[in-house]
Amino acid sequence: MGNLLELHEVTKVYSRGLINAKENVALRDFSLTLKDDEPTILTVAGESGSGKTTLAMLLLGFIEATKGQILYDGRDISTLEGKEKLAYRREVQAVFQDPFAVFNPFYTVDHLLTVPIRHFKLAKSRAEARDKMEEALTAVGLRPEDVLGRFPHQLSGGQRQRINVARALLLRPRILVADEPVSMVDASLRASILETLRNLQRDYGVSIIYITHDLTTAYHIAKSIIVLYRGAVMEAGDVDAVIKNPQHPYTRLLVDSIPWPNLDQRWGEHSIIAREANEDSDGCPFRGRCPSAMDICSTRPPLFEIGPHQTAACYLYEEKPKIVPDRVSELLPV
Ligand code: ADP
Ligand code: MG
């Protein structure tokens, strides 16, 4: 028993322009721990520009943190080499927003699935490769005979996104980073694709980091949630607690802006709509439009422990115990 993934106060700063370079803190002091024996589904939610894709890129090792550390199986991912690097590349898989992006229009589905099998030497024979493909396709709710041999344009958007999930699953990942996996898929298909992700967590023990701007899908798929705003964690905890009883003024605004008479219906159609421009980096990023803003909000609020499974970075809870980012995961149910 140990930790599969640990992020310790990870910060990513992008600088733009050579002269008068402007720094943009896309993600700030983000910490997270996933245990290796407790596969879970965690949502990272936030409006566009809140740092979600930056987090996904960091997790996948596509970009490097400016500050902080990311450990996989106890090893800093920036130092991995050889076999360990290959294992990490195989075990942490991604599904992105655009189901078309990974398809080359001139290759069939078979080709798309064969490439990773070869690259990671997952099968000893063609027959074994075929079995693996069929198993993965079936696991994501596709009938192999419906999709094998087809070209991308012959498939629906929902089928394409399922194939992307199958492709990730082939590699027997331990973590799946799903960055807005259903936002380009028809609303009518979203629920069943998310259901498929949930089955993977249950049946294959894959931990899923579900990244979304959509709180209704988050509510239905995840156990726990981290709400980001302009790169900073605003609130985190049990998904039920945070969505049914939001404590941070920002989360309240998000939840209030969603007209959901019944959380169990019509999910996957409402997105976070809050927007703001407040360029200075000290203080609470939300204070510019926070109805509860106070003088003290010009210094960045730490996280306060509001309940057994809930924390918010807001001085309204100043009398509660403070917690350091590295302890946030202790409040997240699995
Ligand atoms: P999200 O996925 O939540 O929409 P992103 O992680 O894409 O957020 O972006 C977070 C912030 O970082 C935004 O302000 C965005 O403009 C900036 N950003 C993202 N990628 C880059 C990049 N490659 N170079 C410079 N700035 C970037
Ligand atoms: Mg994004």
Side-chain angles (χ1 to χ4, degrees), residues 112-162:
L112 183 84
L113 298 177
T114 313
V115 169
I117 291 180
R118 274 208 216 111
H119 180 74
F120 291 101
K121 301 189 174 65
L122 302 176
K124 293 192 182 65
S125 65
R126 271 170 182 257
E128 194 187 348
R130 180 90 187 181
D131 285 349
K132 291 214 146 130
M133 277 192 232
E134 293 189 354
E135 192 204 336
L137 290 168
T138 308
V140 300
L142 291 167
R143 297 197 321 178
E145 62 271 28
D146 287 348
V147 294
L148 288 175
R150 301 233 170 175
F151 289 94
H153 70 268
Q154 298 174 312
L155 303 166
S156 70
Q159 282 175 320
R160 282 196 289 266
Q161 196 57 307
R162 281 179 195 279

Side-chain angles (χ1 to χ4, degrees), residues 52-53 97 179-180 211:
K52 305 183 299 297
T53 296
Q97 178 170 19
D179 187 357
E180 311 258 17
I211 293 177

Side-chain angles (χ1 to χ4, degrees), residues 14 16 24 26 47-54:
Y14 293 110
R16 272 188 293 221
N24 179 3
E47 66 172 314
S48 169
S50 57
K52 305 183 299 297
T53 296
T54 298

Side-chain angles (χ1 to χ4, degrees), residues 72 91 136-137 161 169 238 316 319 334:
Y72 183 72
E91 291 170 12
L137 290 168
Q161 196 57 307
L169 182 66
D238 179 286
L316 289 175
E319 80 286 3
V334 290

